[in-house]
Amino acid sequence: MRNKTRGQLTLARVLEQPSLGLRLATPDTVDLELQVTGAHSFEISRPTRWISPHWIVLTTGMRLKGRPSEQRELIRELKSAGITALGFALDVNFKTVPAAMLDSAIEVELPIFVVPFETRFAEIIAFINQSLIDPNVGALRRFVSVQDHLLDSLLCEDPVDSLIERLAPLVPAEIVLLTARGEVVAKSRDFNLTLLPEILAQFDEGNNAHPFQSPRHEPSQKMDGRKDSLLSLKPLKEFQNATYAGLSIAVDTPNRPVLWLALIQTKREDSAPDGFELSLPLIRSAGHMLSVALETVAQKASARRSSERVLVNELLGLKELRAPSCEETLSTIERLFEFEIDFSEPVFVLHGRSTSAKDDYDLDEQQIFASGAFGSLGFIWDHFEGNFVAIVQGTHNQCEKACLNLVQDFELVIGISDTVSSPDNFKSGFRQAQAASEEALNSSNDVNVLFFKECTMLTWILAQVNSENLNIKQREILAILDNERYAITTLRAYLECNLDIVAAAMELGIHPNSMRYRLSKVRELLGFNLEQLADLVDLYLVLGIKPRKAK
């Protein structure tokens, strides 16, 4: 671990400035604690005539291209003049630092660092000049720059992991985000998981306060007497022994358990490591940023779930819902593509019915999501009238396997439509899946998953007919029976009991002769022969009857 003079600007401090993006090109065995007293850029020969010792010099190498002897001579000149380091800009005249310069720099132990194309020399010079004016100004500038560096992580695809990875080298320490039980939510790349049980065990054995307990007696300071804000000041917990030292702070967001952000030093030194003086303010800042990041992630997930539900309902024609305004400019294909449904593989509609006898049975959304039944398949779903509906992309076998996994965890039977070839076919696919699940529910073979193509002809016919047109025809016939008391219930029981008069009479709690009398009245009203197949089929279709499972 390096030892340095406090308040003195060093090469290490310049290289560690996140906003500059500087990277050491020579081996890291060179002394990075060399003092820096100024900086200047040059493109002329014999630059040390104008530059003082302990300065950083910056160049694009404009006059050095194709001149290895002059490159080596420059390095020797800079070393002799006591220059602290050479900054070499890339992608201007050179893609990489010339080999002759690197070899010479390694030989004389002169540090060379590369300056990315995006970083202007003026930014490096300004940082060094301001840092030299006052060490406190330099520290403040560095802290603000570090804050910006951490804030940028909130724009990343995974802001939580990105923020932790950026924080670790700045402190420096090993970083871990934990639940109150000590379970790891996220961690820095170098964090050794085997250390965590040892650290937690030491607190238990010492009867000390657990560093990751939920804060019960240390409430956050409230702002203006109002409800806790995400930006309110959180209490820090410190923990240490002969081997470990660290800090932890509560990270909370609305409607979720408190998490803990912990910085852990596993190497104890007499002097604090470079950058550790920023640990206290940085862990507070990072804690607030993580709260924002977690809330942002939760809001994105909620918005995605809302979009998913709107899309399912819209495609299957379930409910009249207005899509979010941002989706109005997107086509249906584009919106499906966001959920990895692009018709590159077969697409199916699913309809799941509950087999539970519980009156309060409900599909738990978190359990469906956590079940992982559909793995990496493109998959969107919702509830509809207490049933499970979904659109899934995958092969026939993948879809069947996923449904079998789902019915193992939930009390369901699932109907699967024929392949849906375009968004215009989803509504007919829903009717197919709905019909298949109804047949599966009433099947005497204990079928849990049923493809529409495996259904009976009656189910196939009912699913193909437009429901509104079918209802018109049904009402015409049923209106004839409305004036005859018990006519519809009698006819329904007779059909559901597979034309067994005795069983139907028992179902209605009447004598079989009474059942025969009622059926004769139905014959008179309808003019149907209740023993002729064609008329029976018509009545099955009118009433939408599904024969009951045989007992």
Side-chain angles (χ1 to χ4, degrees):
M1 197 65 70
R2 298 185 303 265
N3 294 316
K4 67 177 181 233
T5 304
R6 296 291 175 185
Q8 174 180 289
L9 181 63
T10 65
L11 175 60
R13 181 60 59 83
V14 176
L15 295 177
E16 289 168 355
Q17 180 67 10
S19 62
L20 298 179
L22 308 178
R23 177 174 56 83
L24 194 64
T26 48
D28 57 10
T29 54
V30 298
D31 186 6
L32 298 182
E33 298 305 318
L34 296 172
Q35 185 180 8
V36 177
T37 59
H40 192 61
S41 61
F42 75 95
E43 301 297 342
I44 62 174
S45 62
R46 299 182 60 195
T48 54
R49 291 174 294 173
W50 317 103
I51 302 175
S52 301
H54 307 302
W55 278 40
I56 284 176
V57 293
L58 307 164
T59 184
T60 65
M62 183 172 61
R63 68 178 188 83
L64 300 173
K65 198 160 189 178
R67 299 177 178 180
S69 61
E70 292 188 23
Q71 296 169 8
R72 286 189 285 267
E73 178 58 36
L74 173 64
I75 296 299
R76 287 193 289 268
E77 178 187 348
L78 296 179
K79 182 64 178 180
S80 298
I83 297 302
T84 294
L86 171 65
F88 197 90
L90 298 184
D91 298 320
V92 180
N93 294 303
F94 291 85
K95 292 292 184 183
T96 60
V97 180
M101 294 184 72
L102 272 179
D103 292 341
S104 296
I106 293 172
E107 182 181 346
V108 301
E109 297 183 349
L110 176 74
I112 296 180
F113 60 85
V114 295
V115 181
F117 181 79
E118 297 79 11
T119 301
R120 295 175 296 171
F121 285 169
E123 296 177 38
I124 301 173
I125 295 170
F127 169 75
I128 292 173
N129 289 340
Q130 292 186 30
S131 298
L132 291 169
I133 293 172
D134 187 336
N136 292 329
V137 173
L140 178 61
R141 177 181 172 85
R142 180 169 183 256
F143 181 71
V144 172
S145 176
V146 166
Q147 293 275 57
D148 290 342
H149 183 59
L150 295 179
L151 280 170
D152 284 344
S153 65
L154 299 182
L155 302 177
C156 297
E157 184 175 351
D158 190 339
V160 174
D161 285 343
S162 177
L163 192 149
I164 288 176
E165 280 302 323
R166 292 182 182 213
L167 178 63
L170 298 173
V171 180
E174 297 182 21
I175 312 295
V176 63
L177 183 64
L178 303 159
T179 66
R181 298 180 180 178
E183 300 162 337
V184 175
V185 176
K187 66 181 182 67
S188 56
R189 186 180 293 109
D190 297 329
F191 182 78
N192 186 350
L193 289 173
T194 61
L195 298 176
L196 190 58
E198 298 176 21
I199 294 172
L200 298 179
Q202 289 168 5
F203 281 89
D204 293 339
E205 292 171 4
N207 295 320
N208 295 315
H210 197 296
F212 311 123
Q213 287 176 341
S214 296
R216 291 173 295 179
H217 305 299
E218 300 179 74
S220 303
Q221 296 181 15
K222 296 184 179 180
M223 303 173 66
D224 301 328
R226 293 174 293 179
K227 187 178 179 180
D228 273 1
S229 165
L230 290 179
L231 300 180
S232 59
L233 188 62
K234 302 294 190 298
L236 281 170
K237 292 178 179 288
E238 299 184 41
F239 50 97
Q240 64 178 349
N241 64 10
T243 307
Y244 306 101
L247 302 166
S248 63
I249 190 171
V251 177
D252 57 359
T253 59
N255 306 318
R256 68 173 295 155
V258 171
L259 302 177
W260 285 93
L261 175 66
L263 281 70
I264 300 173
Q265 278 187 280
T266 56
K267 293 182 180 179
R268 304 296 303 280
E269 303 270 345
D270 292 336
S271 59
D274 185 23
F276 195 70
E277 68 273 10
L278 294 178
S279 296
L280 288 172
L282 278 183
I283 190 174
R284 286 196 184 278
S285 296
H288 295 317
M289 291 181 199
L290 278 172
S291 292
V292 174
L294 290 166
E295 182 63 12
T296 300
V297 169
Q299 289 176 351
K300 285 183 178 179
S302 177
R304 180 179 173 86
R305 179 67 182 126
S306 297
S307 298
E308 176 184 356
R309 298 185 68 184
V310 166
L311 187 56
V312 170
N313 281 273
E314 178 184 314
L315 292 174
L316 303 186
L318 307 183
K319 303 174 187 175
E320 290 295 329
L321 297 175
R322 177 169 174 77
S325 58
C326 64
E327 294 183 350
E328 292 177 353
T329 58
L330 298 177
S331 69
T332 301
I333 292 291
E334 288 172 320
R335 291 163 62 194
L336 282 168
F337 189 77
E338 291 181 355
F339 296 97
E340 300 180 2
I341 298 175
D342 56 10
F343 296 95
S344 60
E345 290 187 292
V347 175
F348 301 93
V349 178
L350 311 183
H351 184 272
R353 297 176 186 270
S354 168
T355 60
S356 172
K358 302 175 183 176
D359 293 335
D360 59 349
Y361 178 83
D362 188 25
L363 287 172
D364 185 271
E365 186 161 318
Q366 293 297 326
Q367 289 179 344
I368 288 282
F369 180 79
S371 70
F374 291 89
S376 60
L377 299 180
F379 169 59
I380 56 177
W381 75 282
D382 196 18
H383 304 128
F384 177 64
E385 297 180 347
N387 297 319
F388 169 81
V389 292
I391 296 172
V392 180
Q393 176 170 299
T395 65
H396 179 284
N397 290 337
Q398 287 175 326
C399 185
E400 182 177 27
K401 182 179 179 181
C403 290
L404 289 172
N405 290 336
L406 197 62
V407 299
Q408 287 179 355
D409 298 327
F410 302 92
E411 298 176 84
L412 294 172
V413 294
I414 298 178
I416 306 174
S417 72
D418 288 340
T419 301
V420 176
S421 58
S422 74
D424 295 334
N425 301 132
F426 277 118
K427 291 181 181 179
S428 61
F430 173 66
R431 291 197 300 270
Q432 293 174 355
Q434 198 174 28
S437 67
E438 185 177 358
E439 181 168 316
L441 185 66
N442 291 286
S443 172
S444 59
N445 298 322
D446 294 325
V447 176
N448 292 321
V449 176
L450 183 64
F451 281 86
F452 180 68
K453 64 182 180 181
E454 300 169 347
C455 290
T456 63
M457 182 64 73
L458 177 60
T459 297
W460 189 90
I461 292 172
L462 289 174
Q464 305 308 317
V465 178
N466 182 287
S467 58
E468 293 183 4
N469 294 338
L470 180 61
N471 289 338
I472 292 173
K473 186 63 176 176
Q474 286 176 322
R475 286 194 293 271
E476 287 179 2
I477 296 178
L478 293 177
I480 300 173
L481 301 176
D482 281 344
N483 295 325
E484 178 64 28
R485 190 181 184 189
Y486 304 127
I488 293 177
T489 56
T490 299
L491 185 56
R492 184 177 294 278
Y494 177 64
L495 295 176
E496 286 182 345
C497 292
N498 295 311
L499 316 185
D500 187 328
I501 290 178
V502 174
M506 292 180 63
E507 180 75 19
L508 297 177
I510 61 177
H511 193 277
N513 288 336
S514 298
M515 185 69 186
R516 293 185 180 93
Y517 173 77
R518 290 186 183 183
L519 288 175
S520 67
K521 297 292 292 182
V522 170
R523 290 191 192 97
E524 292 175 9
L525 289 169
L526 294 177
F528 281 24
N529 184 343
L530 299 186
E531 296 177 354
Q532 185 172 325
L533 181 60
D535 288 347
L536 289 172
V537 169
D538 284 351
L539 291 175
Y540 269 97
L541 292 174
V542 166
L543 296 177
I545 297 295
K546 295 291 182 182
R548 295 178 180 177
K549 294 180 182 179
K551 296 182 179 180

